[in-house]
Amino acid sequence: MLNNKTILVTGGTGSFGKCFSRYVLTHYEPKKIIIYSRDEFKQWVMADEFKEYADKLRFFIGDVRDAERLKRACEGVDYIIHAAALKQVPACEYNPNEAIKTNIHGAMNVIDAALDCGVSRVVALSTDKAVNPVNLYGGTKLVSDKLFVAANAYAGSKDINFSIVRYGNVAGSRGSVIPVFRKVIEEGGTEMPVTDVRMTRFWISLTQGVELVIKALAEAKGGETFISKIPSFKVTDLAEAMLPGCKIKETGIRPGEKLHEIMVTPEDSHTTYEYDKHFIVYPQMTWNDRQQPDLSGSKVEEGFSYSSGTNTEWLSVEDIRTLLKDVEQTK
């Protein structure tokens, strides 16, 4: 479905954008991929990394806050992957207006550009932090999610739908704990800093995140939130896997941090269906006949939640150690 298609990726020079671009260029024959971002140096670096695909990649300097520039970039685009966001929790807390401009106003600009330019599919990247948010970043992403779901109400007779994929910190990505632990090891440390020894996380790789986006592009009817079924791990087990026999230094949970990643809340259970390898949270309000649940799945029980702390699938220390080899290869 990506062959001969023009795809625009907002925030495309980030970890996800690079992995998505390489995956699509390797597995499909897209017409072109447009990287839309505001940092010309990162675009230059990415262009050098992808020089064998120079005929397929286009680099468009712009900000999702700039509605007119975004519409210009979306001319002739078939699909939009919206990955641009201000993501660092402390930075968003200190600069709330900037987070709102990018994460909320930027989301609305993407929606308007898609509706006005004849785009047919839009997939927005969400985060576990948008679920019962306890920080401003999570709050802005919750609003963004709601905007993309509601955007389907404006589709009318147009062949367009908007959907969401939700996952937590990607293994090895900037802002995740693996680079922090790596730095401790590189500096010869023997003690791993863990904010709370009870902390758990889901394990998802960049490639799995990309595959979830492609699934949403292929299957979404409008307003769904796609969530992968993935294993959990204890952060203390990750520390042991990376530095066997290490001591754990509990540093105290940080402002805006959660003990566990939550993807589906009990309140979402009323419209959540379970499939073989994923969950879908369907919109509570629908605007056309296409927005009906795929009944090949099974509706979850009322009160169901999907949390890294109560997951049924867990990684052992050895499992983590094996998976880390792949993380190292993709760094």
Side-chain angles (χ1 to χ4, degrees), residues 202-203 208 212 227-231 274-279 306 311 313:
F202 285 108
W203 185 284
Q208 287 174 304
L212 186 63
I227 299 158
S228 289
K229 294 168 72 172
I230 46 180
E274 181 177 2
Y275 302 88
D276 184 34
K277 296 183 179 179
H278 64 287
F279 296 96
Y306 188 48
N311 196 7
E313 184 182 359

Side-chain angles (χ1 to χ4, degrees), residues 82 84 102-104 106-108 111 124-126 130 138-150 164:
H82 179 49
T102 296
N103 297 352
I104 298 178
M108 198 67 243
I111 291 166
L125 272 58
S126 184
T140 60
K141 291 300 287 184
L142 171 62
V143 175
S144 173
D145 289 357
K146 296 293 186 183
L147 288 172
F148 279 103
V149 170
I164 299 162

Side-chain angles (χ1 to χ4, degrees), residues 259-272:
L259 281 177
H260 311 291
E261 291 181 333
I262 302 174
M263 302 294 178
V264 180
T265 66
E267 291 74 24
D268 285 329
S269 65
H270 304 288
T271 57
T272 300

